[in-house]
Amino acid sequence: MASARPTVLIFSHGGIDGGHGNIKYAANTYQAEFCEPTVTPIQLLEDHPAVQAIWIVDHDIMLSIHKHISDRVVNYAGNGGTVILGGWFSSTMSPRVFSRWMEKAWNLPWRCGEVRTATVFLRDPAIGPHPNWQHALARSYHQKSTFLKNVSPTESWYTSVLA
């Protein structure tokens, strides 16, 4: 049933082509590139006001030239929207810039933690009112990534600590 599929906006620096994997089978996805003027993140937000999630794939949203996009995304999250920082985000960002962005734009204490390899586990309570997403999300997976610190367990879909 097509209407049961959530709508997810994907914001990236460049095209990710097939790189968004299985999400395209579980959700209606629309992608905008920060550097491509034909379809901008702002345009996608205007075209899809009832979007269920925004997936930010890389660090461009933290750049001052994209402050207007960052402000819209923060406002969307403040109104109950789901924002996912993933993909290449942690490998393309500066920890110092991330900390400043979290503090100034989001008013959050989130900071970069250590880079490590770990198995992460899905935290069902953090997903919130999107039960139709759970069937498409891996219960656990092994990754090497920058882990965040000062993040409440209720704000993280995946954690390296079993909850």
Side-chain angles (χ1 to χ4, degrees):
M1 178 174 197
S3 63
R5 292 164 44 117
T7 297
V8 177
L9 305 183
I10 302 170
F11 299 167
S12 65
H13 174 77
I16 60 173
D17 301 318
H20 54 290
N22 291 336
I23 194 170
K24 64 186 171 191
Y25 300 111
N28 299 313
T29 61
Y30 301 91
Q31 182 181 349
E33 299 174 24
F34 291 105
C35 58
E36 178 59 48
T38 54
V39 179
T40 67
I42 294 294
Q43 186 63 49
L44 281 186
L45 286 167
E46 290 171 359
D47 290 349
H48 303 281
V51 62
Q52 282 77 37
I54 299 172
W55 179 21
I56 301 174
V57 176
D58 55 44
H59 77 282
D60 283 32
I61 194 165
M62 297 188 300
L63 302 175
S64 60
I65 61 170
H66 299 304
K67 184 179 181 326
H68 63 292
I69 299 169
S70 176
D71 290 346
R72 289 281 298 267
V73 169
V74 170
N75 186 50
Y76 162 79
N79 287 318
T82 298
V83 176
I84 303 160
L85 305 177
W88 302 287
F89 193 93
S90 68
S91 62
T92 62
M93 65 159 184
S94 153
R96 184 181 56 76
V97 173
F98 177 79
S99 293
R100 188 172 58 237
W101 184 58
M102 282 289 114
E103 184 178 334
K104 301 240 185 260
W106 291 88
N107 195 30
L108 288 172
W110 297 4
R111 300 296 179 262
C112 290
E114 61 185 340
V115 176
R116 62 186 169 98
T117 301
T119 298
V120 293
F121 303 92
L122 182 64
R123 291 189 31 78
D124 291 332
I127 296 173
H130 305 295
N132 56 334
W133 294 18
Q134 291 184 6
H135 74 279
L137 297 172
R139 303 304 304 165
S140 66
Y141 64 92
H142 200 69
Q143 71 171 23
K144 180 177 182 179
S145 186
T146 302
F147 284 78
L148 297 179
K149 57 185 178 181
N150 305 332
V151 178
S152 166
T154 63
E155 297 170 329
S156 181
W157 283 16
Y158 286 92
T159 180
S160 61
V161 178
L162 265 175

